[in-house]
Amino acid sequence: MTTLAPPAPAPAAAQETAPAPGRARRRRPARIRPGLVAAGAVVAVVLLAALVPDLLAPHDPLEISLSESFAPPSAEHVFGTDQSGRDVYSRVVHGARQSLVIGIGATAIGLAGALVLGLLGGLGGRIADGAVTRVIEVLYAFPGILLALILIAVYGNSAVTQMVAVGLATMPGYARMVRGQVLVVRGSAYVEAARALGHPPVRILLRTILPNAFRPLTVLVTLGIGQAIVWAAALGFLGMGVQPPTAEWGAMLNAGRTYIQQAWWMDLFPGLTIVLFTLSLTVLGRHLQRATDAGALR
């Protein structure tokens, strides 16, 4: 009769590194990213300026003082003054509301039109999908800024016209993504399972297809607001946006380009604000995209 040898003891290194039973694993602390923190701070300051501009602006943005025209940056006027003696810093702060309203409004208009086209193309059958595809291709054939210029030239300069023009210019990109996502989700296994369980089509659309199809748009909207603000500022720079004396970043760039050699600060600080804010939105949008792809927000 043979006897079994006792099992060999585990190596010392394995015994030392093996975690004790029941010991909870410690999570590594989240690493602080300076770029992400800086981007969040910039966005927070701009949102604060848009909500309560009088809290940050020391002067009336429309107050004219010809005796202080073209005053360079100083302790009293940190961004200098413009050709009418108005404080540039106060105008930048008050312009945040106008620029954000145009950017958010244009993004909302673009998304609304994109949802209609995307859902019609993704759920409407082959004929409807072909028609939607042709519409998107036609809109893509026109440069976005050109389409916006045509609409503003026809309907005039106003904040509403600017929002509609920029929204229509950004709509094709949103519509193509919505259509693609709806097509992917419609053929997924969980939609087929919902149909097999006898769920009505309306419930499948509202509870299954729409939430999963629109999830990637949260990242795209974050980036789209920054793009809409840049386009609105470009229209304002060309004199096709909000008209003076309204404080708006693009209109301030348009007013300052005439005096660029005499008063460089009139263009520098509004332009720098646009760059910093859109860059911060891009950083936050990319972080949100990475967190969404990972399956959980950090």
Side-chain angles (χ1 to χ4, degrees), residues 65-156:
S65 178
L66 297 179
S67 60
E68 297 180 327
S69 300
F70 301 118
S74 62
E76 184 178 0
H77 302 285
V78 292
F79 286 0
T81 61
D82 61 6
Q83 73 277 12
S84 300
R86 295 171 296 197
D87 185 65
V88 175
Y89 170 73
S90 298
R91 291 180 61 78
V92 168
V93 171
H94 282 266
R97 174 180 296 178
Q98 189 74 26
S99 297
L100 275 180
V101 167
I102 294 175
I104 295 174
T107 304
I109 292 173
L111 277 177
L115 293 181
V116 175
L117 291 177
L119 289 176
L120 183 61
L123 300 175
R126 181 177 300 179
I127 297 177
D129 187 25
V132 169
T133 303
R134 299 290 87 79
V135 171
I136 295 176
E137 289 177 353
V138 170
L139 292 176
Y140 262 122
F142 288 93
I145 193 69
L146 178 60
L147 179 61
L149 287 174
I150 293 174
L151 292 176
I152 291 177
V154 173
Y155 296 103

Side-chain angles (χ1 to χ4, degrees), residues 32-48:
I32 298 177
R33 299 182 178 181
L36 185 62
V37 173
V42 171
V43 173
V45 170
V46 173
L47 291 178
L48 182 63

Side-chain angles (χ1 to χ4, degrees), residues 3-282:
T3 58
L4 297 176
Q15 293 178 359
E16 292 178 358
T17 58
R23 181 181 298 177
R25 295 182 178 179
R26 297 180 181 179
R27 294 183 178 181
R28 295 180 179 179
R31 185 178 61 180
I32 298 177
R33 299 182 178 181
L36 185 62
V37 173
V42 171
V43 173
V45 170
V46 173
L47 291 178
L48 182 63
L51 294 175
V52 282
D54 294 332
L55 184 65
L56 302 178
H59 302 280
D60 186 347
L62 302 178
E63 182 181 359
I64 296 176
S65 178
L66 297 179
S67 60
E68 297 180 327
S69 300
F70 301 118
S74 62
E76 184 178 0
H77 302 285
V78 292
F79 286 0
T81 61
D82 61 6
Q83 73 277 12
S84 300
R86 295 171 296 197
D87 185 65
V88 175
Y89 170 73
S90 298
R91 291 180 61 78
V92 168
V93 171
H94 282 266
R97 174 180 296 178
Q98 189 74 26
S99 297
L100 275 180
V101 167
I102 294 175
I104 295 174
T107 304
I109 292 173
L111 277 177
L115 293 181
V116 175
L117 291 177
L119 289 176
L120 183 61
L123 300 175
R126 181 177 300 179
I127 297 177
D129 187 25
V132 169
T133 303
R134 299 290 87 79
V135 171
I136 295 176
E137 289 177 353
V138 170
L139 292 176
Y140 262 122
F142 288 93
I145 193 69
L146 178 60
L147 179 61
L149 287 174
I150 293 174
L151 292 176
I152 291 177
V154 173
Y155 296 103
N157 297 339
S158 67
V160 176
T161 306
Q162 196 172 6
M163 282 190 293
V164 174
V166 176
L168 292 179
T170 58
M171 184 176 63
Y174 296 139
R176 186 174 63 177
M177 174 167 282
V178 172
R179 173 185 170 274
Q181 287 297 121
V182 170
L183 290 175
V184 171
V185 173
R186 188 183 66 176
S188 60
Y190 49 84
V191 173
E192 295 296 334
R195 290 172 181 169
L197 292 175
H199 293 169
V202 176
R203 180 180 179 182
I204 296 175
L205 174 65
L206 297 179
R207 300 285 298 274
T208 307
I209 295 179
L210 292 184
N212 291 281
F214 295 161
R215 189 171 300 163
L217 290 180
T218 57
V219 178
L220 193 62
V221 166
T222 305
L223 303 176
I225 293 176
Q227 180 187 13
I229 290 176
V230 171
W231 282 22
L235 294 174
F237 179 76
L238 297 175
M240 305 290 287
V242 178
Q243 298 301 303
T246 304
E248 194 267 333
W249 294 340
M252 294 177 66
L253 291 176
N254 180 45
R257 64 176 178 170
T258 307
Y259 311 99
I260 187 64
Q261 296 182 350
Q262 183 179 0
W264 50 267
W265 53 86
M266 290 179 59
D267 272 341
L268 174 64
F269 293 110
L272 187 61
T273 303
I274 295 173
V275 171
L276 287 177
F277 183 63
T278 54
L279 180 61
S280 299
L281 284 178
T282 302

